[in-house]
Amino acid sequence: MLSAELLPGTIDLLILKAASLGPQHGYGILLRIEQISRGYLPIQQGTLYPALYRLEDRGLLSTEWGTSENNRRAKFYSLTPAGRKQLRHERSSWEQIVVGMTTALRATTDSL
Amino acid sequence: MRGLILRARAAIRHYLRRTRLERDMDDEFRSHIQHRADDLEQRGLARDAAERVARVEFGGVAATKEAARDTRRLRLWDEFRANVIFAVRGLAHHPIQSLIVVTTLTLGVGICAIVFSVVNALAFRARVDRDPATFTRILVSYRTDTTGPSFPGAAALSDYLAYVGTIRSLSSITGWQRVRLALSDGARPTPGALVTCGFFGVYGPVRPIAGRLLQHDDCDSHAPVVVIGSNVWHTTFGADTGAVGRALLINGQAIRIIGIAPPFSSASADDQLWLPYTLRESLHLGPNDPASSNAMQVFVDGRLAPGATRGGVASEAGVIVAQQDRLTAGRHTAVFVTDGSLIAKLGNGLVVTGTVALIFVALACLALVACASVVSILLTIADGRRAEMALRMALGAGAPRLAAMLGMESLILASVAGAVASVLAFRLPRVLLQWIIQRPVDFSLAPDWHVFTFLLMTTVSAALVTANAPIRSVLALDLNSTLRRVPDHVRGRVKRGNMLLSAEISGAAALLVATIALTRLPARVEGAPPRFDARHVLAMNLLAPKPATGGWQSFHDDIARTLATVAGVRGITFATAEPVGDEATGVTEVGTADDHRRMLPSIEVSPSYFDVFGIRLERGRPFTLADADCTAAVCPVIISREAAHELWGGADPLGQRLNVDPTHELVVVGVVSDAPSAIAEPVQALMMYTPWRPNARLYQPFLKVEDAGSGVAKRVSSLVSERFAGTVAAPRTVEEQLTLMVDTFQRIGEVVGLMAAITAILAIVGVYGVVALAARRRLKEMGIRLALGARRMDIYRAMVAPNARPVVSGLVAGAVFATVLALESDRLLAKVFPVRLMDPVAFLFAALGMGAAVAIAMLLPAGRATVVDPAVVLRVE
């Protein structure tokens, strides 16, 4: 597990990705992020909700109250078309950063 | 941008559904903790332990909710609401001061908005009811190979006809010419216009009260038809709709009324009769033939076609007039396209811009005084809340929060004032203007976006300016000393108070000068008799159709012979105007030998003019019969003494040459005394008299009479109507004409004077506030002085002395400011305003009045300080 904090903005990307895999309530999104990141990217439970509300206000997530698998009342978050577009855009940006960073970090004196 | 809109919409939605939002957050967090507890329970923890662990893992619910509220900008709403409540409570604690502040700001912002609204309607937009943005005026300036360019103005009818159907940038176009027409029913000439038949399309839509408006067929068929205005309809036909279809005798011709137009905005607001331009010849106003040397000249107005610009109109019109120039040998035409507003009118630039600038300076002065008064009152309120503010600071309220709380008070006060002012700006301009001109205003005064932008800016500026001082005074509080009720260091506040005092006094003094000067204006005009005999000269105000035979020369001879037979008439003269600057006075551009060119008021006169008006010939000779109809390269001119001084200083004016154009000169043959009244000199005393050309046009007869009250006016009026068919006269003594002019100035003076007086009172209230605040702050000091044996006189001196300097500097600054304003007004308005504003008496009375008001404002609070009980004051403070 990484001990470092998430990079700024990455929590929004992770939430959008988690929501893209199907509608989920807040706790479900938290579990899904842990699951898809294989536990490498833990999220403080308290920081999840401000991020969810921010994405909702930006029109990237839509919400609906429903019943969870535990038979409890829960608020479900789904990706909107704008959210899907934003996810594509952010994923593309992220991949460019990863390629750039990886290339930079693998550089040796011979490759200069 | 879309993101911002979405977030703003979400913020508003969250605020409106606040309760549900809070409940949803509670439910969602509870659900989260329960789901986590379910997981932990499945992993073997007991339910109670699982829920406890889940709650700990989640963290503080309150903190999470607070973070969520921040995200959703609810905290801003909360703070805004709290600030509003704080401000309303604060204002409710000081209801009288709040009312004074709102009233002061309303008057300040309201008067500014009303004046701006009128200025905007008069100067910044075309006088049309519909869509001023598309209104376009085409002006032309003609020159020939031998003469210089004419002043941009009306176009030849042939040029207008060339525009029609050719200029694609205009969706509609019209040409019109103002005329004065003789009606059979009244002696007074009636203003009207010869118009092309698309006139109402450009100035409309106008819905006729009855009948119809002009149509293109009316012009093509030379139909003898007229559309009358509502004034003529009321005065001549008693508002009877049966007037439509009846014949009206205009310039001796029977013209059928086809419609009655309601009041509507147009370039010539006084017009009451609109006739097809093709009736010009039959109304004896000149030939219809566009190729004639005396052809009609029309002002050309139009509406921009969709997507077109005035630049495009100028280009198209330029090409067309260039083609027209090729048909007229030696003619060269320049085209000017404007939006029809007064400020865009060529030649108006300096006068209108200068006048508008002066008005804005006066408004700024007024706003300054109003804001300074409000600031002094708000400072007094803030002073009473020092302890409360210090306590809030001690409890952790930061400077931005306190500033926002205090700023909200000013914002609320200014918003209330702005709202009331906007209502005033809607209602009052028309009422005021109607009262000044004493007839309905027939052009649109509706506020447009200029007015609302001005109102918004003024209101926001007032809020910012008035909030600044109280906020700074609170933020500068010394927490320790304030909470312990120890007076802190007051030098900064005293300095600020002194500046406020100086600013208020200078603004108020300048306005008082304006108030007194304007109030005295009518009395000054009436009290200073003109330097010519206005009481015994009758201006005939004659209106006559062009003589069919014999020309104007024989008409003038006949009129002179006829009027000379009337009992009580002692002499007769002809001229273009009486010797005061009014609409009839012409302006001629002349150049002196040193190539210095300037515009001089000019009147064409017959030889007996100076005798009839009793204007003394100081040097040289009067005009003789031989001087009339001068066609030589050098013609004689007589000038006023002031004009001679203006042009050549102390040098002998006789024999001096004035260059009119490359082929014409004037030689000074005589100098007469300055005709106009003493008040107007030297501005209006400038005058140039040239010999008349009796056959060229109709000149107004002026009669020297023994006694104007003996019925001579009625006798000459009847005689003219009897002997000269189609001719009407409205004789009035020149004195009466001057009185009419003075009446208008009196009403302008009263309105402006009233506004200035209100502002001056506000300023005095503000001065009282500042001094009272200073007195209150120094109560303890006065208590100590009294305890140490000071006499009442010492207390008075101690209270008044610190304010003496700002008071004196304020009075001096105000006097300087008022002087600059008055001199600049006189210079800029010299051509349009017949009297001067510079009035030493106004300065004297303003200084005395302001001094007395300030003395009372300082002595009253000082008086209260002399009767304090030292023991009580020292204990309380």
Side-chain angles (χ1 to χ4, degrees), chain B residues 553-567:
Chain B
Q553 169 88 60
S554 68
F555 178 79
H556 291 132
D557 292 343
D558 290 348
I559 278 275
R561 270 195 301 274
T562 306
L563 295 178
T565 63
V566 178

Side-chain angles (χ1 to χ4, degrees), chain B residues 435-572:
Chain B
W435 186 69
I436 289 170
I437 62 176
Q438 292 289 296
R439 60 182 164 80
V441 176
D442 40 17
F443 58 92
S444 173
L445 277 167
D448 57 10
W449 68 270
H450 288 137
V451 176
F452 285 109
T453 309
F454 179 83
L455 249 173
L456 188 68
M457 283 174 59
T458 315
T459 306
V460 171
S461 306
L464 290 175
V465 170
T466 54
N468 183 39
I471 288 174
R472 282 175 54 188
S473 83
V474 167
L475 296 186
L477 278 182
D478 178 356
L479 252 184
N480 190 26
S481 58
T482 307
L483 288 175
R484 286 168 51 216
R485 294 188 180 273
V486 176
D488 55 4
H489 196 52
V490 294
R491 183 181 293 169
R493 280 189 278 134
V494 167
K495 196 175 168 188
R496 194 159 53 236
N498 286 349
M499 280 173 63
L500 265 178
L501 199 60
S502 287
E504 281 187 61
I505 289 174
S506 65
L511 286 164
L512 258 187
V513 169
T515 309
I516 297 171
L518 288 166
T519 313
R520 274 173 39 81
L521 206 58
R524 288 166 68 206
V525 173
E526 277 176 352
R531 293 183 186 173
F532 59 88
D533 191 355
R535 193 165 293 169
H536 296 102
V537 178
L538 274 185
M540 287 295 289
N541 296 315
L542 205 65
L543 191 69
K546 193 173 180 183
T549 55
W552 286 116
Q553 169 88 60
S554 68
F555 178 79
H556 291 132
D557 292 343
D558 290 348
I559 278 275
R561 270 195 301 274
T562 306
L563 295 178
T565 63
V566 178
V569 174
R570 289 282 167 265
I572 180 164

Side-chain angles (χ1 to χ4, degrees), chain A residues 25-27 30-31 45-46 48-50 53-54 56-59 65 68-70 72-75 77 82, chain B residues 6-7 10 14 24-25 27-29 31-32 34-36 38-39 47 54 57-58 64 67-68 71-72:
Chain A
H25 49 76
Y27 182 65
L30 200 72
L31 291 183
Q45 295 185 32
L48 174 73
Y49 286 95
Y53 296 154
R54 188 169 56 241
E56 185 191 353
D57 286 353
R58 287 171 62 194
W65 282 94
S68 71
E69 64 284 356
N70 292 9
R72 291 190 185 280
R73 190 168 173 268
K75 191 174 169 187
Y77 292 85
Chain B
L6 280 172
R7 292 175 80 170
H14 296 329
D24 277 4
M25 271 201 291
D27 290 350
E28 191 170 19
F29 295 168
S31 167
H32 181 109
Q34 290 301 324
H35 277 97
R36 177 66 182 153
D38 289 348
D39 269 5
R47 185 70 200 178
E57 283 180 355
F58 188 83
T64 307
T71 303
R72 293 183 143 163

Side-chain angles (χ1 to χ4, degrees), chain B residues 420-431:
Chain B
V420 181
S422 63
V423 175
L424 296 179
F426 252 107
R427 302 277 175 202
L428 280 187
R430 180 168 293 273
V431 177

Side-chain angles (χ1 to χ4, degrees), chain B residues 148 588-592 597 633 657-666 688 690:
Chain B
T588 304
E589 186 180 4
V590 291
T592 45
R597 295 192 77 78
R657 299 285 179 107
L658 288 170
N659 170 265
V660 179
D661 60 51
T663 56
H664 294 96
E665 279 191 329
L666 299 170
M688 190 172 93
T690 54

Side-chain angles (χ1 to χ4, degrees), chain B residues 730-742:
Chain B
R732 267 201 304 262
T733 63
V734 173
E735 189 182 53
E736 283 170 340
Q737 309 227 122
L738 288 175
T739 308
L740 281 179
M741 198 163 70
V742 168

